[in-house]
Amino acid sequence: NAKTEALAGFEVLLRWRLEDGACVDPRDFLPVVDELNLSARLGDWVIFNACREAAKWPAHLRVAVNVT
């Protein structure tokens, strides 16, 4: 919140973390997801898990998920 500087919510960022801790850039893995026609399933999974986590937060916090 720009007025109060209080935390108002979070944005979901999809990241693919490898076993060694390195992250695969979304620009590298999202085209593969599209090519395999898995975008809708991945989107559903992201939204489901974002909502599941956000349900544990205090009521005043919000979550944003960008969907392509």
Side-chain angles (χ1 to χ4, degrees):
N1 183 316
K3 188 183 266 187
T4 66
E5 296 185 7
L7 203 55
F10 299 87
E11 179 183 14
V12 173
L13 298 173
L14 182 61
R15 296 294 181 258
W16 180 4
R17 191 169 303 277
L18 301 174
E19 289 182 16
D20 65 2
C23 282
V24 178
D25 192 296
R27 292 173 292 191
D28 294 330
F29 72 82
L30 288 178
V32 176
V33 170
D34 287 339
E35 188 176 314
L36 296 172
N37 294 319
L38 295 174
S39 296
R41 288 184 64 193
L42 181 60
D44 289 347
W45 180 85
V46 169
I47 291 169
F48 174 83
N49 283 287
C51 291
R52 185 178 63 179
E53 289 301 313
K56 301 174 191 174
W57 302 346
H60 71 281
L61 294 177
R62 303 289 182 249
V63 63
V65 180
N66 294 328
V67 181
T68 59

